[in-house]
């Protein structure tokens, strides 16, 4: 079910310039809760979901334009844009993944038994492989991949630890994700060929790592210590950059869920987008 704005709440979409650290407000809505900005490969559009639908927004600001989804069931906030700039991949509320191009949809995901659900987070740089979180009937979550054209699911992790936010790095070899495998506080990791490396080590709860296309930094969302999961409407949610082992604070927002769930970097790695949900 699509999220709704609360009384006196707005959804504010920002674009931040990485070099200066200045965040620019490009869209405000008091009617519809929009979430999870992607950036189109041509650098012209942000892609966001809201009310179970998908929209694009000019990077410089303007009006939302609905993207036809070809009969796909209502979607959640897990979606990515293919490197061709014409195909968008979405997670729907029926638990499946779909590819949509020119208003025509096809299902990508498989039937993996009752209760299994797909949550999309990344696409490989060559556009051939999707990275997703698979949740089974017991609500165990692991990192998986699947060919974007459809095919067999491939497990990347297979354990009892809570994982989320699986996203390819720019080399196509590493998959970045957050996990509780090191502690009850989710931290950032990456995995390749069975090798897992931990990237953050602090007291906060760190989610959704988004590597820049040029590999220069990782943008992510950091919740206060003790946060369970990645809830909405949390005070002191921090948008952060990790670069060269150093953490840089970019913004502090009221938000969390929907703020930056999916790849949100500009193609030239100079900017990325996020959403805040302030209450008057």
């Amino acid at each position: 079910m699509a999220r709704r704005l609360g009384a006196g709440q707005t959804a504010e979409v920002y674009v931040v310039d990485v070099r200066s650290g200045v965040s620019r407000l490009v869209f405000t809505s008091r009617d519809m809760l929009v979430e999870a900005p992607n950036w189109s490969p041509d650098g012209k559009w942000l892609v966001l979901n809201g009310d179970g639908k998908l929209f694009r927004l000019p990077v410089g600001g303007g009006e939302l334009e609905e993207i036809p989804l070809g009969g796909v069931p209502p979607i959640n906030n897990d979606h990515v844009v293919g490197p061709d700039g014409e195909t968008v991949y979405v997670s729907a509320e029926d638990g499946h993944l779909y590819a949509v191009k020119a208003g025509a949809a096809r299902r990508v995901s498989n039937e993996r038994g009752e209760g299994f659900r797909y949550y999309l987070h990344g696409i490989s740089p060559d556009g051939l492989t999707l990275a997703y979180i698979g949740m089974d009937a017991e609500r165990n979550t692991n990192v998986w991949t699947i060919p974007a054209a459809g095919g067999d699911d491939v497990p990347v992790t297979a354990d009892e630890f809570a994982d989320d936010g699986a996203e390819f790095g720019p080399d196509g070899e590493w998959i970045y994700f957050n996990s509780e495998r090191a502690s009850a506080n989710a931290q950032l990791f990456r995995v390749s060929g069975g090798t897992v490396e931990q990237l953050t080590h602090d007291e906060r709860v760190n989610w959704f790592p988004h590597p820049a296309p040029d590999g220069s930094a990782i943008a992510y969302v950091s919740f206060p210590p003790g946060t369970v999961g990645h809830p909405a409407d949390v005070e002191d949610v921090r948008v952060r950059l990790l670069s060269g082992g150093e953490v840089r604070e970019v913004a502090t927002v009221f938000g969390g869920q929907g703020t930056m769930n999916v790849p949100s970097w500009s193609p030239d790695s100079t900017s990325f987008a996020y959403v805040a949900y302030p209450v008057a």
Side-chain angles (χ1 to χ4, degrees), residues 39-190:
W39 206 302
S40 66
D42 63 7
K44 297 179 180 179
W45 301 92
L46 299 178
V47 175
L48 307 102
N49 66 283
D51 199 24
K53 304 172 184 178
L54 200 64
F55 300 88
R56 66 178 190 171
L57 172 74
V59 167
E63 299 298 321
L64 294 176
E65 177 185 331
E66 186 173 350
I67 299 172
L69 293 180
V72 170
I75 66 169
N76 57 35
N77 59 20
D78 298 326
H79 42 79
V80 298
V81 181
D84 65 358
E86 299 179 356
T87 308
V88 61
Y89 299 87
V90 299
S91 295
E93 293 293 353
D94 65 355
H96 283 286
L97 307 183
Y98 295 85
V100 181
K101 184 176 181 178
R106 65 175 169 83
R107 203 180 83 180
V108 176
S109 51
N110 301 306
E111 294 291 348
R112 296 194 54 83
E114 185 176 357
F116 190 92
R117 300 182 66 85
Y118 290 74
Y119 294 97
L120 179 64
H121 283 276
I123 187 167
S124 58
D126 60 12
L128 298 179
T129 307
L130 302 177
Y132 72 91
I133 294 298
M135 185 172 71
D136 64 23
E138 286 73 43
R139 302 186 67 81
N140 296 310
T141 53
N142 277 286
V143 178
W144 295 74
T145 63
I146 188 172
D152 293 337
D153 301 281
V154 177
V156 178
T157 65
D159 50 54
E160 74 280 10
F161 303 114
D163 299 333
D164 210 332
E167 188 172 320
F168 280 97
D171 61 5
E173 297 296 324
W174 291 92
I175 293 178
Y176 293 72
F177 66 109
N178 58 269
S179 177
E180 295 176 2
R181 63 192 53 237
S183 68
N185 283 359
Q187 297 295 320
L188 306 186
F189 295 82
R190 66 177 188 169

